[in-house]
Amino acid sequence: MLSEALTKALSEQVNAEYYSAYLYLGMSAYADREGYKGIANWFFIQAQEERAHAVHLYQHILERGASPVFTDIQAPPASFAGIKDVFEKVLAHERGVTARINKIASMAAEEKDHATYNFILWYVNEQVEEEKNAGEIISKINLMGNSPALLFHLDSELAARTFTDPFAGGSA
Ligand code: FEO
């Protein structure tokens, strides 16, 4: 059975993952409006992944005999100061998510809840990828000098992203 503290922390993380999905859907809409359809695609798929992260956490709470606590999902920002600004906000956001996930891992370890500790390690590893992906895109934008013409190369690259359910096949 999940402790009350971990139920609260994991429920808050369900909310945070849905907020991430909302944030990235908002960024997708911004990129679409600006004419960057490939970047819009990347964010749309990123939002799908975040919803999968939320549902997987929700399922863990239920599987451990607890009830998830649902709260309001905050509205995301509606406008940005350009594509570089968007990805810088992604990196800052994901660093915040990493801190939250690490806190849950520490709580699970302190409570000796080995099942939750093992469960949350998937998210610990995922955050390494999330920060790396955002950082690499920012590096590319910096190399392009944030030029709108060159950003279309990045747009073409990010148009190729497709959605794969991270938990298909029963992983994690
Ligand atoms: Fe659910 Fe962006 O990590």
Side-chain angles (χ1 to χ4, degrees):
M1 174 89 184
L2 211 52
S3 71
E4 207 172 304
L6 272 172
T7 301
K8 184 169 180 287
L10 290 168
S11 294
E12 284 170 359
Q13 194 56 34
V14 171
N15 184 288
E17 300 287 348
Y18 274 116
Y19 174 74
S20 296
Y22 234 31
L23 175 66
Y24 295 145
L25 209 52
M27 289 174 169
S28 180
Y30 171 79
D32 189 274
R33 281 196 311 271
E34 294 294 309
Y36 296 105
K37 303 292 180 186
I39 294 172
N41 169 68
W42 191 90
F43 276 111
F44 189 80
I45 286 162
Q46 188 69 15
Q48 281 180 289
E49 283 199 0
E50 298 298 357
R51 290 195 293 275
H53 296 169
V55 169
H56 197 58
L57 284 155
Y58 158 86
Q59 286 169 330
H60 179 76
I61 297 169
L62 285 179
E63 277 169 12
R64 299 293 310 286
S67 292
V69 181
F70 297 112
T71 51
D72 292 350
I73 300 164
Q74 192 191 328
S79 65
F80 301 91
I83 294 298
K84 186 178 174 187
D85 177 48
V86 171
F87 282 101
E88 283 174 341
K89 286 192 164 67
V90 171
L91 183 57
H93 176 70
E94 289 298 341
R95 284 177 174 156
V97 174
T98 300
R100 300 177 63 102
I101 294 288
N102 286 343
K103 201 169 155 202
I104 294 172
S106 298
M107 282 175 72
E110 279 160 23
E111 288 190 21
K112 297 187 170 42
D113 183 338
H114 301 296
T116 297
Y117 183 73
N118 185 51
F119 171 84
I120 209 69
L121 283 185
W122 184 90
Y123 288 81
V124 171
N125 293 327
E126 172 68 6
Q127 285 311 118
V128 174
E129 278 300 304
E130 295 277 55
E131 288 189 29
K132 179 171 160 278
N133 292 341
E136 284 178 356
I137 292 172
I138 291 168
S139 297
K140 283 181 188 171
I141 294 172
N142 285 337
L143 283 171
M144 291 167 179
N146 205 18
S147 139
L150 291 176
L151 277 175
F152 275 101
H153 290 290
L154 179 69
D155 191 63
S156 305
E157 183 187 328
L158 299 188
R161 187 178 186 188
T162 56
F163 178 65
T164 308
D165 184 344
F167 306 110
S171 65

